[in-house]
Amino acid sequence: MKVFSTLLILILLTSCYSVERKCSDFKTGTFEFTYTLDGIEQTTKFKRTEDFNIDYHEGKADSSSIRWINDCEFILKKLHPTSNSEKDAIHMKILNTTANSYTFDYKLAVKRPNKPLNVEHGVAKKID
């Protein structure tokens, strides 16, 4: 009986836990994102407004439009794609937040037929 009541209390306590998501704090601002490409760690900065996202990488700026689905999810679409793969929209979802960063998932907004849908993860830090 003690085991059952202990287990029940643990389940009740863990079911009340919720991940903090103050997504509205990260709708606009300047951010930094570190990722690995071909075994090399790289960092990019980007500035987000309500309607646009501007990436700064290796001295180049790349702009995308933003369509917010809700406070924690949005769709990015490149304004000037240079290849067919850049024409695809990206679905971004903020999973949790801290005081100055957020963890997110991103994937293609539309699944391609006969191809697996890859979901990537990342952490962005707010620097301004």
Side-chain angles (χ1 to χ4, degrees):
M1 187 66 177
K2 280 186 172 185
V3 173
F4 177 73
S5 52
T6 303
L7 184 61
L8 182 62
I9 290 171
L10 284 173
I11 289 172
L12 288 173
L13 289 175
T14 57
S15 67
C16 296
Y17 175 76
S18 64
V19 176
E20 182 179 2
R21 290 195 335 170
K22 293 183 180 178
C23 301
S24 58
D25 293 348
F26 299 96
K27 280 186 125 178
T28 61
T30 304
F31 303 89
E32 191 173 76
F33 171 56
T34 301
Y35 61 96
T36 303
L37 183 64
D38 297 329
I40 301 169
E41 191 171 278
Q42 299 182 14
T43 300
T44 187
K45 291 183 181 178
F46 59 96
K47 184 174 183 169
R48 183 181 306 136
T49 66
E50 286 282 335
D51 300 317
F52 297 101
N53 193 77
I54 304 164
D55 291 306
Y56 301 98
H57 183 68
E58 295 180 356
K60 295 180 181 178
D62 193 10
S63 302
S64 301
S65 65
I66 297 177
R67 181 176 54 88
W68 288 94
I69 298 169
N70 57 47
D71 276 349
C72 295
E73 295 181 68
F74 58 94
I75 304 293
L76 283 176
K77 184 140 176 84
K78 296 247 186 204
L79 294 178
H80 307 288
T82 58
S83 67
N84 282 336
S85 64
E86 287 186 354
K87 291 180 181 178
D88 295 330
I90 304 293
H91 177 247
M92 307 284 288
K93 182 176 184 179
I94 298 173
L95 302 174
N96 61 13
T97 63
T98 65
N100 67 344
S101 69
Y102 64 91
T103 304
F104 63 94
D105 279 351
Y106 62 99
K107 62 183 179 183
L108 290 177
V110 178
K111 185 180 180 309
R112 293 182 181 157
N114 302 323
K115 290 199 176 185
L117 187 60
N118 294 328
V119 178
E120 301 291 332
H121 310 282
V123 176
K125 290 182 184 178
K126 190 169 190 176
I127 55 177
D128 185 25

